[in-house]
Amino acid sequence: MRVAVCQLNSRDDRAENLRVARELLERASAAGADLAVLPEYVDYLGPGKTAPDPETADGEFGRFFARAARELGIWVHAGSFHEAGPDADHTFNTTLIFDPGGSLTASYRKIHLYDVEIAGRVSYQESRTVAPGSETVVTEIGGVRTGLSICYDLRFPELYRRLAVEGDARVLVVPAAFMMHTGRDHWEVLLRARAIENQCYVVAAGQIGDHEPGRTCFGRSMVIDPWGTVIAQAPDTIGIVTADLDLPRLAQIRAELPSLANRRL
């Protein structure tokens, strides 16, 4: 399986964000990708007061990426968007997966919400406007068991262990808008840890650069193999990188170092 991670700088112009996302999907398709992964909040990352109205999975957002998957003939992981939530004050932060025919095959609602206060640096309470999901999701993408997560989920290893063990995942996907001040120290370390401890490929697509209001994302989208080696990494700009996932190598690593089979807890 060839995967592409698409790195964007989404802002408060939804039409422009979607235009760039489509352009990157076209580049991924031209590069021979079977699966293209977009980052968290791919369609809008700006002030809440001008955010688009939340939608259901079959709304404008879903139709846009279903059409892209169908026209390009690839699997599309549509990052995430503001899905209509449980009440008027809360949305869900939701991933949608489309097959090459344009059919919605899976969705995942972000479980862990980014509620962080770092004095003088960041104050962000995602739970004020977003409701948490409650279900882990593993789905087949091109016949490969793939576990879904979003951004802040990355800090909770128990989620990924469940995806790998109970869900039999071989690939873990992480769309993100990881903040600069934490991303420069933690992003790659956490991604590599999730790959090593679960003996899975990790495919992580991030937002890059400045966004409103006063937010800077780290970028460095990457693909990591089950040994923890970074096999593809995006430079600090909008664009894509591709990598080929070697599933026989994954099986070999699990056979030679059977840490999943040896676990006692």
Side-chain angles (χ1 to χ4, degrees):
M1 174 186 283
R2 176 168 293 180
V3 300
V5 287
C6 303
Q7 186 162 277
L8 277 75
N9 175 236
S10 301
R11 296 199 179 197
D12 59 358
D13 185 339
R14 191 189 203 204
E16 175 63 9
N17 296 334
L18 291 176
R19 185 196 69 77
V20 174
R22 172 65 191 233
E23 179 183 293
L24 295 183
L25 291 177
E26 291 172 357
R27 289 172 58 183
S29 176
D34 303 294
L35 165 67
V37 179
L38 293 155
E40 183 180 26
Y41 289 145
V42 61
D43 64 324
Y44 183 88
L45 196 56
K49 62 183 179 181
T50 56
D53 292 335
E55 304 172 359
T56 57
D58 59 356
E60 179 184 355
F61 179 93
R63 293 195 301 271
F64 179 90
F65 287 107
R67 182 169 61 253
R70 183 174 60 253
E71 292 177 354
L72 297 173
I74 61 174
W75 287 85
V76 172
H77 179 299
S80 79
F81 78 114
H82 291 92
E83 182 192 12
D87 56 58
D89 297 322
H90 294 83
T91 62
F92 292 113
N93 186 344
T94 302
T95 283
L96 302 178
I97 308 291
F98 298 95
D99 71 14
S103 295
L104 178 66
T105 62
S107 63
Y108 166 72
R109 293 168 174 167
K110 184 179 182 182
I111 292 173
H112 301 97
L113 303 181
Y114 188 60
D115 288 355
V116 175
E117 295 281 348
I118 301 177
R121 301 182 72 179
V122 63
S123 175
Y124 196 89
Q125 297 290 318
E126 188 175 16
S127 63
R128 290 176 182 168
T129 58
V130 178
S134 59
E135 297 182 6
T136 58
V137 177
V138 176
T139 187
E140 287 206 359
I141 296 179
V144 181
R145 298 285 292 173
T146 303
L148 305 183
S149 64
I150 299 174
C151 200
Y152 193 52
D153 282 332
L154 183 59
R155 294 186 180 276
F156 299 88
E158 62 273 16
L159 167 62
Y160 296 89
R161 182 51 54 94
R162 180 180 293 185
L163 296 175
V165 174
E166 296 180 16
D168 195 30
R170 289 335 195 232
V171 176
L172 305 169
V173 182
V174 190
F178 227 75
M179 303 286 276
M180 173 64 77
H181 71 280
T182 54
R184 62 192 177 195
D185 294 324
H186 297 167
W187 172 245
E188 180 178 329
V189 174
L190 289 171
L191 291 171
R192 294 180 68 194
R194 299 296 86 87
I196 293 167
E197 67 200 8
N198 296 296
Q199 299 184 312
C200 288
Y201 279 95
V202 172
V203 181
Q207 294 277 0
I208 179 74
D210 295 334
H211 314 264
E212 294 294 338
R215 176 175 181 155
T216 301
C217 289
F218 182 62
R220 300 289 174 89
S221 302
M222 63 182 71
V223 182
I224 300 165
D225 78 4
W227 195 253
T229 302
V230 177
I231 59 174
Q233 180 173 284
D236 295 334
T237 187
I238 297 167
I240 72 161
V241 291
T242 63
D244 294 322
L245 308 190
D246 184 347
L247 298 175
R249 171 170 164 75
L250 183 151
Q252 180 182 2
I253 288 171
R254 288 189 172 189
E256 293 179 351
L257 183 61
S259 59
L260 290 178
N262 290 343
R263 71 188 188 282
R264 291 178 176 268
L265 297 176

